[in-house]
Amino acid sequence: MHDIDTVFHCLATYSAHVSKETYSEITLDWLEALLQACETMAPESTFCLFSTQGARPDGGGMSY
């Protein structure tokens, strides 16, 4: 057991900035790999997912 209490995941990219394959790799494959590592290394840890829903690609405020 490792001394990991909380895992924060906030990695994302805009779908319009990368290929469909790259977007899927970053948003799905890397998240799945992280979750599997957490299950193996620190199954009692808290997982916190930060969403980019509503973010604007130009860095401005929320888009609605």
Side-chain angles (χ1 to χ4, degrees), residues 29-59:
D29 298 345
W30 292 1
L31 173 58
E32 183 177 356
L34 177 59
L35 289 170
Q36 288 175 354
C38 289
E39 266 186 18
T40 301
M41 305 299 284
E44 300 297 319
S45 65
T46 299
F47 187 83
C48 185
L49 173 66
F50 285 88
S51 173
T52 59
Q53 182 176 2
R56 289 181 15 195
D58 64 4

Side-chain angles (χ1 to χ4, degrees), residues 5-64:
D5 296 321
T6 306
V7 175
F8 295 94
H9 177 68
C10 52
L11 177 67
T13 188
Y14 290 102
S15 59
H17 291 183
V18 295
S19 69
K20 186 175 182 177
E21 293 79 20
T22 300
Y23 181 80
S24 178
E25 178 183 357
I26 292 170
T27 60
L28 300 175
D29 298 345
W30 292 1
L31 173 58
E32 183 177 356
L34 177 59
L35 289 170
Q36 288 175 354
C38 289
E39 266 186 18
T40 301
M41 305 299 284
E44 300 297 319
S45 65
T46 299
F47 187 83
C48 185
L49 173 66
F50 285 88
S51 173
T52 59
Q53 182 176 2
R56 289 181 15 195
D58 64 4
M62 296 289 289
S63 62
Y64 299 97

